[in-house]
Amino acid sequence: METALIAFSSSTTANRLKKLAVQEQIRGVTMIQTPKAISQNGCTYSLRCPMGTLKPLLQLAEAYHIKHGHVYRENTDGNGRRFYEGW
């Protein structure tokens, strides 16, 4: 399953969008600590979601004026290591 990460500067902001996602029945959204490979400018928490729910999640963030950092596609190489590409 392809996944995406949306970076946030605080756990409060990430958690706010996660709670809204639950209310809107957007499934598969989890909050994680941002991987060091992509952590920049104080983005310490991210929401991980299936790529299929990324667009509705970003629309929800826009509707509620929730600011986020970069968005990444999370991939896994042949050895099971994760890597990230800007989306």
Side-chain angles (χ1 to χ4, degrees):
M1 171 175 67
E2 289 188 310
T3 57
L5 293 181
I6 306 170
F8 292 89
S9 60
S10 74
S11 62
T12 303
T13 308
N15 200 37
R16 182 172 173 226
L17 184 57
K18 184 179 182 297
K19 286 180 180 181
L20 288 168
V22 169
Q23 289 176 0
E24 294 294 319
Q25 297 181 350
I26 299 174
R27 301 192 187 282
V29 179
T30 58
M31 189 167 72
I32 63 165
Q33 192 166 15
T34 301
K36 290 182 183 196
I38 59 173
S39 182
Q40 50 184 273
N41 300 328
C43 293
T44 58
Y45 289 90
S46 293
L47 291 184
R48 178 182 279 146
C49 66
M51 285 300 293
T53 63
L54 178 60
K55 187 175 179 181
L57 196 57
L58 291 175
Q59 289 171 339
L60 192 60
E62 185 177 336
Y64 284 88
H65 307 286
I66 298 173
K67 294 184 180 185
H68 59 81
H70 293 286
V71 178
Y72 300 91
R73 179 186 301 260
E74 184 177 56
N75 293 302
T76 306
D77 68 12
N79 294 321
R81 291 180 297 234
R82 292 182 178 153
F83 63 98
Y84 306 92
E85 298 174 308
W87 183 80

